Amino acid sequence: MTAVILATACAVVYGTADFFGGLATRRSRVLAVVALSQLAGFALILSLLPVLPGAFEGRAVLWGLGAGLSGAVGLVLFYRSLATGVMSVVAPTTAVTSAALPVGFGLLQGERPEPVALLGVALGLGAVLLVSQDRSAGGAGSTRAVLTALAAGAGFGGFFILLSMASADAGLWPLAGARIASIGLVILLALATRRTLKPVPGSLGVIVAAGVLDMVANVLYLLAQRQGLLSLVAVLVSLYPASTLLLARRVLGERLHAVQLAGVACALGAVALIAVA
């Protein structure tokens, strides 16, 4: 039950972080938003390292570095696929792939969830597909955009898998390693493309909020997967688009389509099934 609570809270915080990140990218450049939000999250994890238990382990930090690189590559590919494809195709493709890979990895590692929990997993994957639909976009996604979205989902899924490989005794050190790797990669990309990392005036607060919330979600994920099965935790975490949609409706007045409302209902059902397993 603890893992379910932590993973569900993680999904809510991830979705909130994405909401703030979306607001920030409307006001400032994408690379600036990514780099500065990552720095804000890194500052938070540095402040938590002395407080929360955990010993420095080189192997755990290496797993974190790998996770950070995988997640950063996934993020870059995700934005690239959005630039060349349609949101209604790209978003669900990326989200379901990022959830399916950890599920498959967990099962291959010998995890055997209860049948009712597996039903929750199936319902959760369906929920991700439904809540990610954007009927405001027309047309179909190109093959290249779909392939890029699949690669982006693999990057996000790799982030979850690689973090799960780090020892629990290492505390939050794997997240510190992950953030160092992702910040380094984004800065290299900015230098290679000659893009400025200076935010537009007035956007820094939103960027910092997105980065801090993203790191809080990462901490919750790390704690959740140490308490429960990766194959279940990853599905619950992947339900984050539901909270993003609800915030967009509440704050921005955006309308939810019937298929998205059905996805939110499926997400709640998935949480309930996994919780009672």
Side-chain angles (χ1 to χ4, degrees), residues 30 52 67 72 106 153 195 201 224 229 241:
V30 170
L52 297 179
R195 303 288 178 85
L229 300 179

Side-chain angles (χ1 to χ4, degrees), residues 111-170:
E111 295 183 358
R112 293 296 180 265
E114 296 293 329
V116 67
L118 288 175
L119 180 60
V121 167
L123 190 60
L125 293 175
V128 174
L129 275 171
L130 293 174
V131 300
S132 300
Q133 296 300 311
D134 180 7
R135 298 302 181 188
S136 63
S142 66
T143 301
R144 182 177 179 182
V146 171
L147 292 176
T148 306
L150 286 170
F156 294 144
F159 174 82
F160 293 134
I161 292 171
L162 291 170
L163 270 188
S164 72
M165 300 297 290
S167 168
D169 296 332

Side-chain angles (χ1 to χ4, degrees), residues 219-269:
V219 172
L220 290 170
Y221 165 74
L222 199 63
L223 296 176
Q225 63 88 19
R226 289 172 179 172
Q227 295 288 329
L229 300 179
L230 176 64
S231 53
L232 301 183
V233 168
V235 172
L236 293 176
V237 170
S238 71
L239 299 176
Y240 66 88
S243 58
T244 306
L245 285 173
L246 293 174
L247 275 172
R249 176 181 173 84
R250 180 72 176 177
V251 178
L252 303 178
E254 294 184 2
R255 294 183 59 187
L256 295 183
H257 301 285
V259 67
Q260 293 173 317
L261 290 172
V264 172
C266 288
L268 295 174

Side-chain angles (χ1 to χ4, degrees), residues 93-119:
T93 301
T94 300
V96 172
T97 305
S98 69
L101 285 181
V103 170
F105 180 81
L107 294 176
L108 288 174
Q109 290 291 101
E111 295 183 358
R112 293 296 180 265
E114 296 293 329
V116 67
L118 288 175
L119 180 60

